[in-house]
Amino acid sequence: MSMPSSSWTTDVFGNQAAAVRLAVGQGLRNMQANAQAAQEQTASRTTRSYGTSRYENQYERLQDELKDLPGARAIQPFGFSYELMLIGNGLLYPFRYSKTKSDVRSARIPSQSRLVQELFTFAPTPKHTQDPFDLDFGPTVPTAEPRGALATVPQGTQLILVPFACNASELLEAYWGIAALGMNRQLEWTTDPEPLHLPHSVTSYTLQPVSIPNPTAAHTSFADGTEPTLTLSSRTASDQALHVPVQTEAEPVEDQTSEDDATH
């Protein structure tokens, strides 16, 4: 889907803005497909498998789609298991903000972990950093000096948030934009959260759904096997007169199969 690039995306990504937008949307679609495949494989009554796979894939599938764009660079924050993508002047941070469709303007960052604190040093300064009801008047928006690869990010880099809504059944919506981290993990958007196009097609899998046999297919059980042929014969008069013991088994029949039957 062709969409005109907004001014902030052009400022951050230059003439690659449209390509980056499409790649991010495709990465999220691949994320959802892989997470659903993981859930299918486990056949679990809970959605834990979906959640674990979705979290991993929200980083790795975006990287798959973005890594070949000119100037793209993977950044691994200190102590973090996954890499974030730096393109142009934008450092992309995807996260799920809801399991249902809801107003992205009221979205909150999932946590104020050390990683989040370091990432938001590349975001605008929040308007409110103190809680007026806090008697100690302590800061409610903690900050932290970037470590590891984040410390090598060029000056002028901006944190681009990619909030999306999804659940084990479907990928609902996704946005991107620039926001400050306000009080109580609330986002203060400095750009309009821009909807991302989410394609229907999937371009990559890391997991393949399990092939489940057709339950209506015929199965052969022991009772369905071919009945053996019994060879019966009566004793001759001379055998009976001489009291020759009864022969209870027929003469062995020569096997008609050969090794060639297995290969031809």
Side-chain angles (χ1 to χ4, degrees), residues 42-118:
T42 58
S44 174
R45 294 180 181 178
T46 72
T47 58
R48 187 173 301 152
S49 299
Y50 167 83
T52 301
S53 178
R54 188 269 307 163
Y55 181 74
E56 174 182 304
N57 279 278
Q58 72 188 34
Y59 303 110
E60 295 188 349
R61 301 292 72 78
L62 261 67
Q63 183 175 353
D64 287 347
E65 297 299 317
L66 294 164
K67 64 184 179 182
D68 293 329
L69 293 179
R73 174 184 164 197
I75 298 292
Q76 185 163 14
F78 180 83
F80 193 57
S81 301
Y82 306 102
E83 294 176 320
L84 304 178
M85 294 304 294
L86 175 65
I87 304 176
N89 295 322
L91 179 63
L92 295 160
Y93 178 55
F95 64 94
R96 183 171 73 172
Y97 76 94
S98 178
K99 295 181 181 180
T100 60
K101 282 191 174 183
S102 60
D103 185 3
V104 71
R105 291 183 177 278
S106 62
R108 295 188 181 195
I109 209 74
S111 71
Q112 281 189 351
S113 64
R114 175 64 190 259
L115 169 63
V116 168
Q117 295 171 36
E118 292 181 28

Side-chain angles (χ1 to χ4, degrees), residues 13-24:
F13 301 112
N15 57 11
Q16 294 195 100
V20 174
R21 183 197 301 113
L22 291 175
V24 171

Side-chain angles (χ1 to χ4, degrees), residues 73 75-78 118 122 145-155:
R73 174 184 164 197
I75 298 292
Q76 185 163 14
F78 180 83
E118 292 181 28
F122 302 101
E145 193 70 23
R147 299 169 297 170
L150 281 179
T152 70
V153 171
Q155 287 188 349

Side-chain angles (χ1 to χ4, degrees), residues 202-233:
V202 177
T203 59
S204 71
Y205 267 114
T206 56
L207 293 170
Q208 294 295 342
V210 172
S211 177
I212 302 174
N214 184 350
T216 61
H219 296 280
T220 302
S221 65
F222 176 79
D224 295 330
T226 304
E227 244 182 74
T229 302
L230 300 178
T231 304
L232 303 177
S233 62

Side-chain angles (χ1 to χ4, degrees), residues 259-264:
E259 291 183 354
D260 287 342
D261 292 332
T263 56
H264 290 80

